[in-house]
Amino acid sequence: QVQLVESGGGLVQAGGSLRLSCAASGRTISDYTMGWFRQAPGKEREFVAGISWGVSNTDYADSVKGRFTISRDDAKNTVYLQMNSLKPEDTAVYFCNRIIGHIAVYNSWGQGTQVTVSS
């Protein structure tokens, strides 16, 4: 199983931007479809964005479409999430995982990275 470490979170004002990184180790993720998820306090973890292997097709939750961009650098074994026009409702811990559709493949999760958007 690949190990995934998320980073790049922080505190930002509404309307601001952050770029999250998901660094993989243990094996290449170049042949994996990868995704970002988030979990806000008191809520279920939800799918945010996904990127396929190869042609890098992307898929987004309606709540972030047009504001977030997922990308990957297979040479660095890393997946990114560029978050623009952030809103207070984007406040959550963000995680990455290998995905099939919108479903996480691995049952174990990393520590995630906290994103807090102030109004």
Side-chain angles (χ1 to χ4, degrees), residues 17-68:
S17 298
L18 284 172
R19 187 196 195 202
L20 307 184
S21 297
C22 169
S25 61
R27 81 174 304 280
T28 179
I29 59 170
S30 62
D31 55 345
Y32 285 173
T33 295
M34 298 295 295
W36 284 95
F37 296 79
R38 67 186 181 186
Q39 187 167 20
K43 294 189 176 181
E44 295 289 319
R45 186 175 285 139
E46 64 177 356
F47 171 83
V48 174
I51 186 165
S52 68
W53 63 276
V55 297
S56 292
N57 290 324
T58 57
D59 182 25
Y60 299 93
D62 287 343
S63 58
V64 306
K65 204 169 293 184
R67 300 187 298 121
F68 290 11

